[in-house]
Amino acid sequence: MSSTVAVIVNFNSGPLLGPALDRLASQRVEATVVIDNASHDLSWQDALGRDRVRLHRLEANRGFAAAVNYALAATREPYVFLLNADVEMADGYVAYLADALDAAPRVAGATGTLTLPSGLIDSTGITFTRARCAFDRGRGATAAPAEPEEPFAVSGAACLLRRDAVAQVGGMWEELFVYWEDTEVAWRMRRAGWRFAHVPAARAVHARGSDSADATFIEAAEFGGRLAAIARNEGWRGLVNPEALLATLVSGARLAVRHRAALRTSRPWDRVRTGLAARQSDELPQDRPKFAPHPWRAWLTAQFTGRRRGLGALPASP
């Protein structure tokens, strides 16, 4: 049984951080590290004076990936549990995930079944398609799949990662300030031969506070992050892949019509160049993992009807 450290990246969590730490006290974790990304509120104070909780305050908001890397450097436990403050776990959530990693040495990360407050599915992992698009599996469905199919990746909202696997690929990519960081690091781990798991017995409710963020910020981070991730993991071969290129052109056209500020802010060519430069220093296999078919009809409908919101607006299983 490997020991586990919990990591919460905090940024203006308001009243959410304290209850999240309370819930972690009953989970199978040996310690908790809170990385505060220069919050403007006083939410970070809820981490003070707690048993087995360490607080690290950063001088600037460096983003999710950089905060996680900071936590990895400050801890040693073999398993690292990433938790968003707006996730409420059922009893035994972390233990179920740890058991899954204990039983399968090549599994780099695991997630449970996350539901929305409405009871609908939020995520059972992340699916990655041939169009190089990432979706939360089953988002909006009434129930999780009966059989726990293997996801391409696991959402950073409430997942357990194997430290050795993350370290092997060089940690999270700090160029991705927010969004795509969990999918991108999983892509590199896939290239290194690691796998991921969905554990249905582990249950949690995700309030999805990030969905209320500024639309321009979200759209820019997603569009630019996707291009950077493709460039780093597949280079031009992935960027000009017919399905991936079509998805890029459709998404870019939609932004040009509805969110011009987001398209400008995403800096697409800069993101591509950044990804290509990072690819040159990666000492990883260049083989592509297996991708899922892309749900073109549902995806295009969501693009042009304006119902798209965040990475998980479509059911991930075509």
Side-chain angles (χ1 to χ4, degrees):
M1 183 185 302
S2 296
S3 58
T4 299
V5 61
V7 174
I8 296 180
V9 177
N10 183 65
F11 179 69
N12 293 341
S13 295
L16 296 175
L17 181 59
L21 293 171
D22 291 340
R23 290 188 289 269
L24 274 172
S26 63
Q27 296 287 330
R28 200 177 86 184
V29 298
E30 281 62 50
T32 297
V33 173
V34 176
I35 308 297
D36 184 70
N37 255 333
S39 294
H40 306 309
D41 64 7
L42 299 178
S43 56
W44 56 271
Q45 293 185 352
D46 284 332
L48 297 174
R50 290 177 178 265
D51 185 36
R52 297 186 301 168
V53 175
R54 302 198 303 274
L55 172 68
H56 298 265
R57 297 202 67 208
L58 305 184
E59 295 181 355
N61 185 355
R62 296 170 52 190
F64 183 81
V68 170
N69 285 343
Y70 188 99
L72 290 171
T75 59
R76 295 183 178 180
E77 287 81 358
Y79 295 164
V80 180
F81 178 60
L82 302 184
L83 179 69
N84 283 5
D86 63 350
V87 173
E88 184 173 348
M89 301 165 289
D91 291 343
Y93 184 91
V94 177
Y96 282 122
L97 302 187
D99 288 344
L101 265 61
D102 287 342
R106 292 306 298 172
V107 170
T111 184
T113 296
L114 307 185
T115 60
L116 299 168
S118 65
L120 297 177
I121 297 298
D122 172 57
S123 178
T124 63
I126 294 173
T127 290
F128 199 67
T129 74
R130 294 170 190 160
R132 281 54 170 183
C133 292
F135 302 116
D136 282 300
R137 294 197 318 171
R139 179 84 180 273
T142 57
E147 294 297 328
E149 297 180 1
E150 181 178 343
F152 180 88
V154 291
S155 169
C159 67
L160 188 67
L161 299 177
R162 194 182 299 272
R163 177 185 296 274
D164 288 349
V166 181
Q168 181 183 354
V169 300
M172 287 200 165
W173 192 18
E174 298 185 12
E175 291 292 333
L176 301 177
F177 183 83
V178 67
Y179 297 118
W180 274 92
E181 63 276 75
D182 45 12
T183 301
E184 193 283 323
V185 74
W187 196 347
R188 277 182 284 135
M189 286 191 277
R190 283 276 182 188
R191 288 166 53 196
W194 294 96
R195 298 167 42 224
F196 293 87
H198 165 226
V199 183
R203 308 281 298 189
V205 177
H206 188 194
R208 278 276 173 183
S210 62
D211 282 352
S212 63
D214 178 72
T216 298
F217 172 78
I218 292 176
E219 295 281 8
E222 289 184 12
F223 188 71
R226 173 177 172 271
L227 292 175
I230 297 172
R232 177 168 187 173
N233 284 278
E234 288 190 309
W236 285 110
R237 178 180 69 172
L239 290 164
V240 301
N241 171 274
E243 289 192 78
L245 183 59
L246 178 58
T248 300
L249 293 175
V250 170
S251 297
R254 181 180 60 80
L255 290 181
V257 172
R258 297 186 177 182
H259 293 280
R260 291 185 181 179
L263 185 58
R264 290 193 301 270
T265 305
S266 69
R267 299 178 292 111
W269 288 115
D270 287 344
R271 308 303 279 163
V272 168
R273 286 194 289 266
T274 298
L276 293 174
R279 180 174 175 81
Q280 297 300 315
S281 61
D282 280 345
E283 297 180 359
L284 294 171
Q286 303 305 315
D287 294 339
R288 291 181 298 177
K290 183 179 180 180
F291 302 143
H294 189 72
W296 281 108
R297 180 178 297 179
W299 185 81
L300 288 169
T301 299
Q303 293 285 315
F304 291 108
T305 59
R307 291 197 296 269
R308 182 177 181 274
R309 185 182 65 181
L311 287 175
L314 298 175
S317 300

